[in-house]
Amino acid sequence: MKLSTAFISAALLFAACGSENDDDVADALAEFDDEYGDEYEGDAAGAAGTVDMSLTRDDVDCSAEALGEDETSTFTTAHYVVGGALGAACFGDDDPTLTQAWEALSVITPSLQLADVGLFGSFESTEGGDEVTLAFVNTLDDDGTLFQMSINLESYEEDPNEALLTMAHEFSHVFTALPSQIDRSAESEDNCATYDNGEGCYLPDSLMAQWVALFWDDGLIDEIDPSEEASGSAGEDRCSINPGFLGPYAASSPEEDFAESFSAYVFQLDAGTDAVQAKLDWMNDQPGLVEFRDRAVTAGIGPLKNNFEPCGEG
């Protein structure tokens, strides 16, 4: 059974990793707002930084249960997103840090793509251990045309460098899961010629189908069980012998590999290995992905420090 509320992904924080350029990141975001903020005011398409707290919608459920609250997470705030603009709070109270997170996402994201988000919220995590959920994305409808993005604000505030990488990482789970990318029909389960991730079958010309064919060949994809949740522990063995991954979490699934690589690409991280550089070079040949990086460059954000755990040293 395919559930429209199934989690597509969660970005995990394995250990606190300080950034040497946190102040630079914050300054760059402030400078972007000063230089371009007026340009985006009132833009119905929802360009960078657009916030209109009068906007609402009636096609999504904003209750705690619908947002995904469970024994490991408690939601604190959620906002409608309408036409790419952050709208009224539909759960909890306004939180300036959540608004800041939205603006950070808007800096790098083309305005029309923000319209694929219908809810944007924050949660507190009660997880123990080394792996703490930084953020997650899930679909709001059966066809995957609208998404919810949820942010762990406590972790977000701890490290601006990690926060920016997380925003890019999570949004990649939106644009790679749209109907133009994946077939969620019941028939796709039995007739998938690319890769079925448990939500559906990636279309042959989709970004993820190309990614799997290029970077998860030679039997790597056969090691993945889509029913298992991605985690750092699940990717440790693969990371230990393969220098093509940005840490164990990236090595846990093709989707997380793409997302970690995309965040590194957008913010111009040093690849660290030739195998990772090959992935970033491929992204640089995809016009739709280049646009995210160009926006980060225009905003003066990056290159960020590569704090990913090295792979291939086992």
Side-chain angles (χ1 to χ4, degrees), residues 15 29 68 140 142 144 146 148 173 198 207 231 263 278 286 296 305 314:
L29 285 172
L140 291 172
D142 293 330
L146 197 64
Q148 172 185 328
H173 291 309
L207 289 167
S231 67
S263 68
Q286 315 306 314
K305 181 178 174 60

Side-chain angles (χ1 to χ4, degrees), residues 81-248:
V81 178
V82 185
L86 188 71
C90 55
F91 184 88
D93 299 320
D94 292 344
D95 188 314
T97 303
L98 184 62
T99 303
Q100 180 187 47
W102 173 260
E103 291 172 343
L105 175 64
S106 301
V107 167
I108 63 167
T109 307
S111 59
L112 292 179
Q113 294 201 42
L114 290 172
D116 295 322
V117 179
L119 289 174
F120 191 73
S122 60
F123 65 93
E124 295 177 347
S125 175
T126 58
E127 296 166 299
D130 295 331
E131 296 186 343
V132 176
T133 303
L134 288 178
F136 65 83
V137 161
N138 56 279
T139 58
L140 291 172
D141 59 5
D142 293 330
D143 297 325
T145 63
L146 197 64
F147 294 81
Q148 172 185 328
M149 183 182 292
S150 305
I151 311 297
N152 181 336
L153 291 187
E154 182 178 1
S155 296
Y156 181 93
E157 290 181 297
E158 286 178 356
D159 186 346
N161 184 90
E162 187 75 29
L164 286 171
L165 293 170
T166 297
M167 301 306 290
H169 174 120
E170 289 306 313
F171 197 78
S172 79
H173 291 309
V174 174
F175 66 71
T176 58
L178 292 166
S180 62
Q181 299 289 306
I182 190 168
D183 180 359
R184 287 184 167 81
S185 68
E187 294 77 15
S188 72
E189 290 186 73
D190 301 321
N191 303 295
C192 187
T194 57
Y195 172 60
D196 190 316
N197 72 344
E199 288 284 324
C201 178
Y202 286 108
L203 299 174
D205 60 349
S206 66
L207 289 167
M208 284 306 307
Q210 296 177 63
W211 187 262
V212 170
L214 287 170
F215 303 116
W216 284 75
D217 55 354
D218 296 332
L220 270 182
I221 194 62
D222 298 327
E223 300 173 4
I224 301 301
D225 181 353
S227 66
E228 293 184 0
E229 185 175 346
S231 67
S233 56
E236 282 180 356
D237 290 343
R238 203 170 292 111
C239 173
S240 69
I241 60 175
N242 192 321
F245 298 109
L246 287 164

